């Protein structure tokens, strides 16, 4: 599902469903598109496509949360996790330029993890990770684990699924995400080593600015990455750990041990 107004992106969502679930899924997507905090859309596009091949099965990333005192401290924390993953300072700065920029992108930006250059073929559209879902049993267990942490919401479930797919791409080293929902101030960084690291208060309440950036390894095949993100069907069928709040030292230390 994609919703926009006058061509400006409002919201998007996707899933993998059995044939019997499709009608309900369409209704749910329509309701979501019409009730988004970014406002009423002028256009809603819902497309349904039959998968010809079995999806690739993957695991979720480990989940944890890092707390910070304010948005500036939260951004520093995000930067430190990314730097600890080996992302250059230039690339981190370029990524924050994207997510704090005025224009909401429909898809994600691809940023070179070494030099910080933008790599996506269409910079206005970005790259939209799609064709991903979670199997029912895995969803039920994930829901219980996230509930224990008080974070079992569609936003967290979907963002975790999206990040897990993206980080499964050869050549995607990390992700930075800040929601473009003005009322949603938790963002995250996801990396191969540290998993899905939630960072509350990464932006001020009321700000419509946000977006996603994937950090790309130097020399990686960008065409293949885009193909994987947009077209490769992926099903989350296994779970990793879901932990509560941690400190940066605990997170970085545990990845080193
Ligand atoms: C989004 O709006 O899709 C981004 C959500 C980012 C954070 C989700 C979370 O709370 O873990």
């Amino acid at each position: 599902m994609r919703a926009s107004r006058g061509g400006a992106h409002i919201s998007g969502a996707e899933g993998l469903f059995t044939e019997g679930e499709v009608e309900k899924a369409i209704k749910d997507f329509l309701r979501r598109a019409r009730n988004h905090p970014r406002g009423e859309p002028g256009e809603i596009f819902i497309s349904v496509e039959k998968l010809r091949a079995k999806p690739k099965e993957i695991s979720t990333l480990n989940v944890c949360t890092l707390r910070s005192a304010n948005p500036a401290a939260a951004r520093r924390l995000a930067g430190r996790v990314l730097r600890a993953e080996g992302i250059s300072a230039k690339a981190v700065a370029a990524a924050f330029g994207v997510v704090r920029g005025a224009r909401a992108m429909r898809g994600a930006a691809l940023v070179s993890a070494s030099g910080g250059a933008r790599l996506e073929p269409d910079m206005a559209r970005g790259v939209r990770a799609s064709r991903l879902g979670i199997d029912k049993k895995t969803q039920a267990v994930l829901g219980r684990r996230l509930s224990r942490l008080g974070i079992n919401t569609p936003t967290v479930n979907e963002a975790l699924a999206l990040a897990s797919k993206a980080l499964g791409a050869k050549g995607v080293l990390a992700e930075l995400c800040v929601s473009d929902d003005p009322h949603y101030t938790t963002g995250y960084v996801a990396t191969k080593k540290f998993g899905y690291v939630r960072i509350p208060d990464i932006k001020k309440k009321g700000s419509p600015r946000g977006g996603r950036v994937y950090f790309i390894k130097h020399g990686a095949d960008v065409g293949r990455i885009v193909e994987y993100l947009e077209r490769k069907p992926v099903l989350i069928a296994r779970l990793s750990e879901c932990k509560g709040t941690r400190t940066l030292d605990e997170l970085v230390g545990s990845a080193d041990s």
Side-chain angles (χ1 to χ4, degrees):
M1 177 278 289
R2 315 264 165 262
S4 54
R5 187 174 45 243
H9 167 76
I10 294 185
S11 70
E14 45 265 302
L16 297 184
F17 305 96
T18 61
E19 219 158 323
E21 294 167 337
V22 170
E23 263 187 60
K24 178 174 180 306
I26 291 174
K27 279 191 191 145
D28 289 347
F29 282 137
L30 190 58
R31 191 173 47 242
R32 284 177 56 169
R34 293 163 116 175
N35 294 293
H36 198 272
R38 285 174 66 85
E40 196 189 338
E43 313 91 39
I44 300 170
F45 303 96
I46 295 180
S47 58
V48 182
E49 187 183 333
K50 187 170 181 150
L51 293 186
R52 304 277 162 205
K54 216 170 155 304
K56 174 183 160 144
E57 297 194 349
I58 63 160
S59 174
T60 55
L61 295 164
N62 287 339
V63 178
C64 74
T65 298
L66 294 180
R67 300 251 168 233
S68 62
N70 53 54
R75 288 194 295 273
R76 278 197 299 277
L77 215 46
R80 288 176 66 187
V81 177
L82 292 167
R83 299 282 291 122
E85 181 70 38
I87 310 301
S88 75
K90 255 188 179 170
V92 172
F96 273 108
V98 172
V99 298
R100 302 186 76 201
R103 199 183 147 81
M105 283 169 71
R106 187 186 122 184
L110 304 185
V111 164
S112 159
S114 47
R118 291 282 288 275
L119 301 174
E120 71 273 22
D122 178 342
M123 280 176 45
R125 174 183 174 274
V127 176
R128 176 93 204 173
S130 188
R131 291 181 170 78
L132 71 153
I134 179 160
D135 81 14
K136 278 219 179 76
K137 274 193 199 144
T138 311
Q139 178 63 79
V141 182
L142 177 63
R144 284 199 292 278
R145 290 190 190 173
L146 294 178
S147 288
R148 269 184 235 131
L149 301 170
I151 54 172
N152 186 22
T153 64
T155 306
V156 175
N157 277 275
E158 284 174 16
L160 174 61
L162 215 52
S164 301
K165 176 176 181 182
L167 270 289
K170 203 169 165 232
V172 174
L173 299 180
E175 177 184 353
L176 168 69
C177 172
V178 175
S179 177
D180 55 14
D181 175 343
H183 306 292
Y184 202 92
T185 56
T186 298
Y188 67 86
V189 288
T191 83
K192 294 223 197 272
K193 216 183 331 177
F194 302 117
Y196 181 86
V197 183
R198 307 180 63 244
I199 307 185
D201 302 316
I202 201 163
K203 71 172 190 180
K204 271 204 205 130
K205 213 169 175 91
S207 165
R209 296 186 179 191
R212 279 192 160 78
V213 174
Y214 298 125
F215 295 92
I216 308 300
K217 188 176 177 175
H218 179 71
D221 184 337
V222 173
R224 275 185 83 165
I225 291 173
V226 173
E227 171 73 17
Y228 168 87
L229 292 170
E230 296 195 334
R231 311 224 28 109
K232 174 89 182 163
V234 162
L235 185 71
I236 310 252
R238 294 183 300 277
L239 295 177
S240 297
E241 289 182 335
C242 295
K243 294 211 167 134
T245 302
R246 315 187 73 188
T247 64
L248 181 67
D249 286 347
E250 283 167 349
L251 179 71
V252 173
S254 71
D256 286 343
S257 59

